[in-house]
Amino acid sequence: IVRDIYQQMRQNRNIPQFKDIDVKQSSFNKLGRFAQSKQLESFIQSKQQKSKVFIEAVNAKAITKHLLLILNKIENDKFDRIIKWFEENWPSLQSDNDDENENENDQQPEDQKDNEVIIDMEPNENENTQTGNEEHETTEVPSQDNNQEAKPQTLTNEQRFGQWYTTEFKSSEETSMINETNIIDTLFGGWSNILECNDINEAFINQLSKRFNVILSGDSSTSDSTLTIDTQNPDHVWRSQVLQTLLASIDPDQLPVSASSMLTKKKLYILKPNFVFSKKNLLRVNLEQDIITSVKQTRWKKSAKFLKELTKQNIIGLKDYGNTGGELMITDINYHYLTNSFNHGGKLSFFTPEAFEKFCKKVNELQQKDTQSETKQNDDNGAESSQFMSPDKNKKVKIQTMYRANHRLLPIFGADNISELHSKNKARTFLW
């Protein structure tokens, strides 16, 4: 609720200036009018219900970008032109960086080769004393110096950007306050961070995350809005269940939380099977195999390995207290990603932990009743079974009549069950 955020802001003791902020002194006059204004459309998504205004979604990337630019007095137009320069020159920046790394790697072997040549030439100079001067004159031709003079001087990435920056913003008053070095450190965290990323936008997002201590997902990172989740794939099912658990059961005020306690059956949200919950279908459910309730049923096998992968995808923040006898703790959650990207449109539905417990209880009851009725039917059906007494009166032989479906019933029984033997009650379940 917007009103709650406004009150918490004014009561913030860490920033005393907030208590002097009064929405009535602004042109909006009312808090609800400000929350639904056009100025905030790119930052939050709000909805009014009766007299209250709710914030449904928050664009953390847009908010942190706005704060970074406005706190450092960088105009949006200037930022866009800098991003455009990097996008146009990105291939050459990467190639120059690769060439520099190759030159550094090749420098040591070349020095060793030069030393070997000098060692081989020393005995020749001592042996040929008469013609030594002539040979010395011919070998002292500075071939390397000539090659260096012939090569044009190449500019580094920093120098190329510096020339463009001073030319592009020569008339700007901010150039004297923020030079080309400061702008790189402010926006991208330095040249080393830029060259470690796949593109300039990734470097900017990483800098925003570090600067404001939040988790941000890039445009090309994990996005489930276009991802088709295979409900038959245990990895997909488990990942979606954990993400739903993070979104639905953990509030920001509860962080940090224990990762092991979150992944238990008592707290885990379970993906609902995509079939009708009829008696016929529930009798076929195998709760141990058909329902994914443990990370051991996936390719990760261990929860720590799975959680570290979520950390690389900028979905959670993780801290390992294992060295001190503790455990893995989830310190941060990317609620922006979970709210706006994961399960976009609500295509996936989940059991709450309580609802899943009731579901399991109902399935077990139905399957237990079916087993009991099948046993009773076999015992009471004298036409289908008879008992023969052996010479030893303590031994009994039971003859039971079973049924196998005809090939014409393949569409009903399926390929896996058409050739199996079924009791009368079991056969009836396929015909319901």
Side-chain angles (χ1 to χ4, degrees), residues 164-222:
W164 172 84
Y165 183 82
T166 53
T167 304
E168 188 76 10
F169 304 104
K170 186 176 182 180
S171 59
S172 176
E173 296 179 357
E174 297 180 9
T175 306
S176 58
M177 300 173 59
I178 304 178
N179 57 26
E180 62 273 12
T181 303
N182 294 336
I183 200 75
I184 291 296
D185 294 338
T186 301
L187 295 179
F188 311 111
W191 281 99
S192 59
N193 184 37
I194 292 176
L195 298 176
E196 289 176 356
C197 298
N198 297 322
D199 54 53
I200 193 62
N201 291 309
E202 181 182 345
F204 179 64
I205 291 174
N206 291 342
Q207 174 65 1
L208 291 178
S209 301
K210 294 178 183 178
R211 176 68 176 80
F212 296 99
N213 194 26
V214 294
I215 299 179
L216 299 174
S217 58
D219 298 334
S220 59
S221 65
T222 55

Side-chain angles (χ1 to χ4, degrees), residues 243-275:
L243 296 185
Q244 179 65 23
T245 304
L246 291 172
L247 177 62
S249 64
I250 300 179
D251 295 329
D253 297 338
Q254 297 175 341
L255 296 173
V257 296
S258 171
S260 59
S261 62
M262 184 203 70
L263 298 179
T264 59
K265 291 182 180 180
K266 294 183 178 180
K267 293 187 177 181
L268 189 66
Y269 280 65
I270 302 298
L271 183 67
K272 290 184 178 180
N274 53 353
F275 56 75

